[in-house]
Amino acid sequence: MIVRTLQESESCGRKIISPDGNWDSTRLLLKNDKMGFSFHITTIYEGADFQMHYKNHLESVYCISGEGEVETLDDGKKYPIKPGTIYILDKNDKHILRAFSEMKMACVFNPPLNGTEVHNKDGAYEVEADPLAVAS
Ligand code: 9YT
């Protein structure tokens, strides 16, 4: 069994601060834990308004606190976010996230992140080639 706390994870290099100033994220569970997904506690800063497009990952995002909205860019739909809301990017949806107040989110990624990823120019995380996939 693996047991970690948010506090210890924040102080041992698992907390990533986004260079764009929109969020930070403490990655409690990562690829090298071999669970097949990663689990993060993410803070979206008040006033953040930014686009993401996880082309290489599926992500679910559960709101613990704070308020905002997510907009899917293909259809222009806006969904309010408040504590208890989960949004699930099951179609690698291109989206905009807006935080009306600071939001604490629990995020799960499949495939799991390695730990140091920040968004590229398209709002995506790169995915490393899997050496096992190449070998088989
Ligand atoms: C909600 C969202 O995707 N925010 C960006 C950070 C991401 N959750 C991460 O890397 O943990």
Side-chain angles (χ1 to χ4, degrees), residues 16 18 23-27 39-44 50 52 54 59-61 87 89 95 97 105-109 113 117-119 125:
I16 299 296
S18 175
W23 54 268
D24 64 59
S25 188
T26 302
R27 290 150 175 184
F39 181 87
H40 321 163
I41 296 296
T42 298
T43 302
I44 310 291
F50 62 109
M52 290 173 274
Y54 293 124
E59 186 195 23
S60 293
V61 182
Y87 67 86
L89 300 165
H95 61 291
L97 185 60
M105 319 293 257
C107 309
V108 173
F109 278 79
L113 298 200
E117 290 90 341
V118 291
H119 294 134
Y125 294 144

Side-chain angles (χ1 to χ4, degrees), residues 17-134:
I17 300 173
S18 175
D20 63 13
N22 287 315
W23 54 268
D24 64 59
S25 188
T26 302
R27 290 150 175 184
L28 294 160
L29 183 71
L30 286 165
K31 183 178 179 181
N32 61 7
D33 293 309
K34 302 193 186 327
M35 288 289 286
F37 59 91
S38 58
F39 181 87
H40 321 163
I41 296 296
T42 298
T43 302
I44 310 291
Y45 303 147
E46 180 173 341
D49 182 331
F50 62 109
Q51 187 173 312
M52 290 173 274
H53 189 195
Y54 293 124
K55 301 172 190 174
N56 304 313
H57 297 84
L58 300 173
E59 186 195 23
S60 293
V61 182
Y62 176 82
C63 179
I64 300 165
S65 64
E67 306 230 343
E69 69 179 14
V70 60
E71 176 177 349
T72 41
L73 287 177
D74 279 354
D75 57 12
K77 283 190 184 165
K78 294 179 183 176
Y79 302 87
I81 300 172
K82 60 184 186 196
T85 305
I86 186 168
Y87 67 86
I88 300 159
L89 300 165
D90 62 326
K91 297 182 177 63
N92 303 99
D93 317 62
K94 191 188 280 194
H95 61 291
I96 293 174
L97 185 60
R98 300 187 181 97
F100 304 145
S101 60
E102 179 183 281
M103 296 195 291
K104 294 277 182 194
M105 319 293 257
C107 309
V108 173
F109 278 79
N110 169 20
L113 298 200
N114 293 300
T116 55
E117 290 90 341
V118 291
H119 294 134
N120 67 16
K121 64 176 175 28
D122 300 325
Y125 294 144
E126 305 292 345
V127 72
E128 286 182 341
D130 181 347
L132 292 175
V134 173

